[in-house]
Amino acid sequence: MSALKLKKGVSKHSAYDLRDPNADVDEPHTLAVIVDNEPGVLARVIGLFSGRGYNIDSLTVAEVDHTGHTSRITIVTRGTPSVIEQIKAQLGRIVPVHEVHDLTVEGPAVERELALFKVAGQGDKRIEALRLAEIFRANVVDSTLESFVFEMTGTPGKIDAFAELMRPLGLSEVARTGVAALSRGAV
Amino acid sequence: MAQTMTGAKMVVQALKDQGVEVVFGYPGGAVLPIYDEIFQQNDIRHILVRHEQAAVHSAEGYARSTGKPGVVLVTSGPGATNAVTGLTDALMDSIPLVVLTGQVPTFMIGTDGFQEADTVGITRPCTKHNWLVKDTANLAGTIHEAFHVATSGRPGPVLIDIPKDVQFASSKYVEPRKTVTSHYQPRMKGDIELITQLVDAMESAERPVFYTGGGVINSGDAASQLLRELVDATGFPITSTLMGLGAYPASGKGWLGMLGMHGLYEANMAMHGCDLMINIGARFDDRITGRVADFSPKSLKAHIDIDPSSINKIIHVDLPIVGDVAHVLEDLLRVWKSRGRKTNKEGLAKWWKKIDDWKAVSCLTYRNSDTVIKPQYALQRLEELTKGMDRYITTEVGQHQMWAAQFLTFDEPKRWMTSGGLGTMGYGFPASIGVQLAHPESLVINVAGEASWLMNMQEMGTATQYRLPVKQFILNNERLGMVRQWQQLLHGERYSHSWSESLPDFVKLAEAFGAKGILCTDPKDLDDAIMEMIKYDGPVIFDCLVEKHENCFPMIPSGSPHNEMLLGDANATNAIGAKGAVMV
Ligand SMILES: Cc1ncc(C[n+]2csc(CCOP(=O)(O)OP(=O)(O)O)c2C)c(N)n1
Ligand SMILES: [Mg+2]
C-alpha cells in the first residue's frame, strides 16, 4: 500500500466505513420498500429472500397510494451489516421496486403492530386478564362468558410481553399483523 | 390515429417497431395466432430451431455478437420450461433477451389445462423481469417496456407470457414512443468525487492492475474504446475475466491474459500482488477470487459497476463507483488528463519487471506430441490459421473452453461467446447459429467438447436448413474431460461416469444431416484439415481426436488463493484440500 495517497477506509463511501463489514453479528433491520402494486411483486420480494437465504422476521404489505398504485412492504429482517447491505441492493434491483428505505439506520422511526389475542378462562383468571388488558391498553373486541378477544396495538416487544402475561391466564390463539413502520419527523 | 389490431398482430408490429430482424422460435398450440401473423409478413425472419433451449442460446449468440437484444418465441408449457436453462444462462451472463411465451387462455389459467405451466412463476428467479399480459390493451406497451428493461442498466433476459385469447382479441396498438416511460431508469453517471479519488490513487500507485469483465462489453463499443485509451495512456497492466475477453486487445501492450481458476500465472500473480485494483464491469466471481480471505490482500480496490448489488457482495471495496462503464471511464479519463496525466513511472517500471518475471514462467507450456494431437496444439493451429480472419468464436463448457480462452486471442469485443456464469454444456452450438445469422459472411467456429456438443446436436437440422456455415470444432477426448480432471485431482482417480461411451461417428452424423464431416487424428494432418474446414461453404463437424488424459493448467485449486496455482501435473494429484473439496 506504500505509495498510495489514498488509504483503505479514507473514502466515506468505502465499505470499511459501514461499521465492521466482516462482523458476523446479526442485527435486526426494518426495511420499507415502495413497489408498484402489480401481480407477482410480493412473490418477487419473498423469492429474493428465500432464494438467497435471507431471513424474514415479519412482513406486511398493502397498497398505500390508490392513484399511483404503489404498495408499501415493511420487512423486518436480520443479518450482518454486509448481508443487510446486500439485501437492500438486491431489493433495489427488482424492476417494480421504486424505493428501499432502511428505517433502522435512516434515523428514528416508529414501529407498530396490531395483534388479536383469544383468552379463555373463568373466575380469577378472567378478572386478572381484564385487569392486565387495561394496563396494556388493549381493547375487548369480543367477549363470551368463557372468553375474551383483546385487540392491541404496540411495538412488537409490547405485544410479546402481553402474550407472555396472558399465557397462564388461558391464551389460546394470537393473530399478529406484522410490523408497520414510519420514520419520525416531517420527512 | 392508433390502429386497432389483434394481439397476435400487435406482437409482430411491436417487434418490428423495436427494430427486430430475427426471431428464434418453435411453434405450438398456444402461439399459433402469432405464427399465423409471422407467416403473413416478410420483415421479421423466423428461425426454426430444433429445441427451445437452443432458441434461447441462439438468441444469446445473436445478442452478444451484435449488442442488440435477442428475441425468442416459444409455446406454453414444455416450450416455456425448455427455455429455462437459456434464461438462467442469460441472466448469469447479463445478456439482453426478450422471450415471448404462449399461455393457455386467461379463463383456463389455474385449471391445469393442457400444456399449462406457471411460466411467470417458474421464470421469476431466472429473468430480470417478467410479465403475464391478461389484456390485449396492455400488450404492445408491455413489449416496448420489455425491450427497455432487457437492454437498460445491467442487461438481462425478460419474458412476456401471452395467453391465447389475448392474442386473438383486438385493441389499439401503442407505438414505442407513446409508451409511458417506466420508472426503471438505472443510473449511468458515476459519482465524480469517487472518480477523482480513484484518479488520486492511480497517480501514485506502484503496482496497479485493471481487472475487467463482461460489463465493459455490455456497456457498448465506446466503453471498449475508452478502456483501450485508458490502459495505453497509463501504461497499467490489464487482465480480464472469461466474459470480458476482447474488450482490450490481446495484442495490446498492457495485456496479461485471462485471470481466474484457469487464468494465466502472470495475471493471477498481478492480482495477488497489486497495490491498486481497478475492477471495471466484473463481479468478483468465485472463479476469479479463489479463497476470498486471501484475495489480493494488500490492494486498495475500486469497483465500477452499473449494478449496485454487485458492489461489496463478495469482496469489500474502497471505492465503489456505481455507473455505466463508458460514462465512468469517460469521466475518469477526463479528470486524469486534466490533472496532467500523472502516473508513478518508477513504481510502474519495477512492477512491469516483476510481471515480466512471472511471464517468463510460460505457464501455458505443455508437452507436445508428434503422434497424438494435443488439444492445446489443435487450438494453437486454429488460432494461427484463422487469426487475421473476420472470426467469431463460441464454445461449449469444459476443458476445451478453458483452453480456447487461453490459446485463442481476441482483438475486438463481441467476438467471443461462452457460457461463463452458468457453465451450460450445450450452449456453444446454438450460440454459433445465432452468431452466424447475425454475421452471414463471417467465419463462426464453435470450439466444443464431444460431450457438450451432443447436448444440442439436434441443431444440425437448423444449421443445414438455413445454410449456416458454422464450424463445429470438436476437441474429442472421449471424456467429460473437466470432470475427469477433478476426479483425478480430488477423488483418488476414481473416474465415475466421466467417459463418453458409445460416441457417434461424427463424420457420418454430419453426412446424415447433409453437412460435411472431417476426422483428424494425426497432428501432421491438422493444418490441412483445418483449412479444409474453413474453406468449405457449409456447416462442418470437425472431429478432432485429441489426447484423452490431458489436464488443463494453470489451475487455482478451489479453496486456494491466487499465489498457490498449480502449473502442471507434477504437483496436482490430491492438491485440493478438504475445504476446497466442498466448492464446485
Ligand atoms: C448442462 C451441464 N451438465 C453438467 C455439467 C458439468 N460439467 C462441466 S464440464 C463437463 C464435461 C464436459 O465434457 P466435454 O464437453 O467433452 O468437454 P471437455 O471437458 O472434455 O473438454 C461436465 C459434465 C455442465 N457444466 N453443464
Ligand atoms: Mg470431452
Side-chain angles (χ1 to χ4, degrees), chain B residues 397-400 425 448-452 474-482 498 500 503 546 548:
Chain B
V397 170
Q399 290 179 317
H400 63 276
M425 293 170 68
E450 80 294 339
S452 297
I474 301 177
L475 296 174
N476 184 354
N477 52 10
E478 299 175 9
R479 297 290 180 280
L480 311 184
M482 191 57 97
S498 53
S500 293
L503 283 170
V546 296
K548 301 183 202 318

Side-chain angles (χ1 to χ4, degrees), chain B residues 40-327:
Chain B
Q40 299 175 49
Q41 55 85 51
N42 285 315
D43 297 329
I44 294 177
R45 192 167 174 213
H46 178 274
I47 303 299
L48 179 69
V49 294
R50 300 305 190 259
H51 187 295
E52 289 88 351
Q53 181 190 355
V56 186
H57 293 324
S58 294
E60 287 186 89
Y62 180 90
R64 297 199 50 196
S65 66
T66 58
K68 295 192 278 189
V71 181
V72 172
L73 172 61
V74 297
T75 194
S76 65
T81 56
N82 272 348
V84 166
T85 300
L87 288 168
T88 312
D89 191 271
L91 186 71
M92 290 288 265
D93 286 345
S94 308
I95 313 298
L97 298 182
V98 175
V99 176
L100 308 169
T101 52
Q103 182 54 281
V104 299
T106 48
F107 53 85
M108 281 184 71
I109 289 178
T111 65
D112 299 324
F114 179 62
Q115 296 195 328
E116 179 182 0
D118 175 9
T119 300
V120 286
I122 290 169
T123 61
R124 203 172 280 132
C126 61
T127 51
K128 185 175 172 186
H129 195 59
N130 62 15
W131 297 262
L132 168 65
V133 180
K134 286 184 164 172
D135 183 347
T136 310
N138 300 331
L139 182 56
T142 304
I143 296 174
H144 300 317
E145 169 77 359
F147 276 87
H148 168 69
V149 172
T151 54
S152 34
R154 179 175 180 174
V158 300
L159 180 144
I160 310 172
D161 202 23
I162 314 173
K164 197 170 181 182
D165 55 335
V166 173
Q167 300 170 31
F168 275 123
S170 289
S171 186
K172 287 214 166 65
Y173 178 72
V174 185
E175 288 169 41
R177 61 188 172 83
K178 297 236 172 82
T179 303
V180 262
T181 45
S182 110
H183 81 270
Y184 182 75
Q185 304 291 345
R187 166 179 178 166
M188 302 297 271
K189 293 279 271 186
D191 181 326
I192 198 73
E193 184 202 326
L194 284 167
I195 291 172
T196 310
Q197 289 186 22
L198 175 54
V199 170
D200 242 12
M202 286 167 57
E203 288 171 346
S204 51
E206 290 180 325
R207 302 184 307 279
V209 67
F210 286 111
Y211 148 46
T212 59
V216 182
I217 295 171
N218 279 338
S219 173
D221 293 349
S224 295
Q225 223 36 62
L226 288 160
L227 177 70
R228 285 155 196 237
E229 194 186 337
L230 181 66
V231 174
D232 293 342
T234 54
F236 291 180
I238 174 171
T239 177
S240 160
T241 66
L242 182 72
M243 300 307 294
L245 297 177
Y248 181 83
S251 57
K253 66 178 168 43
W255 183 237
L256 300 182
M258 179 178 78
L259 83 161
M261 184 175 270
H262 291 290
L264 272 67
Y265 183 70
E266 48 270 39
N268 285 329
M269 291 305 279
M271 288 288 280
H272 192 78
C274 64
D275 69 347
L276 174 64
M277 176 185 297
I278 307 168
N279 172 343
I280 309 177
R283 61 185 176 89
F284 294 110
D285 176 85
D286 54 73
R287 299 293 98 160
I288 297 307
T289 58
R291 189 196 300 159
V292 168
D294 295 318
F295 176 71
S296 191
K298 298 196 194 80
S299 58
L300 185 96
K301 298 176 184 73
H303 187 180
I304 301 167
D305 202 305
I306 197 156
D307 178 357
S309 78
S310 285
I311 290 184
N312 294 331
K313 182 169 68 176
I314 294 155
I315 298 294
H316 289 94
V317 298
D318 305 274
L319 298 173
I321 304 175
V322 175
D324 167 59
V325 168
H327 284 76

Side-chain angles (χ1 to χ4, degrees), chain A residues 56-162:
Chain A
I56 298 181
D57 286 355
S58 153
L59 183 140
T60 62
V61 55
E63 188 171 273
V64 289
D65 175 357
H66 297 309
T67 42
H69 298 292
T70 53
S71 294
R72 183 179 180 104
I73 302 178
T74 308
I75 305 169
V76 182
T77 181
R78 56 183 60 244
T80 60
S82 51
V83 165
I84 298 289
E85 288 310 306
Q86 246 316 284
I87 291 175
K88 289 189 272 183
Q90 292 291 349
L91 284 168
R93 276 176 99 189
I94 298 177
V95 171
V97 167
H98 292 239
E99 296 165 40
V100 180
H101 295 286
D102 185 343
L103 297 176
T104 307
V105 301
E106 283 178 15
V110 281
E111 291 191 4
R112 289 294 180 271
E113 189 175 357
L114 185 141
L116 299 172
F117 305 83
K118 181 173 285 182
V119 181
Q122 280 164 349
D124 286 352
K125 287 191 173 170
R126 193 170 155 81
I127 295 165
E128 180 62 6
L130 207 54
R131 201 181 64 82
L132 286 170
E134 224 163 275
I135 296 173
F136 274 77
R137 284 186 224 153
N139 301 319
V140 177
V141 291
D142 177 69
S143 73
T144 67
L145 290 175
E146 304 86 55
S147 69
F148 290 118
V149 174
F150 297 114
E151 173 207 347
M152 194 174 83
T153 307
T155 62
K158 182 180 172 189
I159 289 169
D160 285 343
F162 187 67

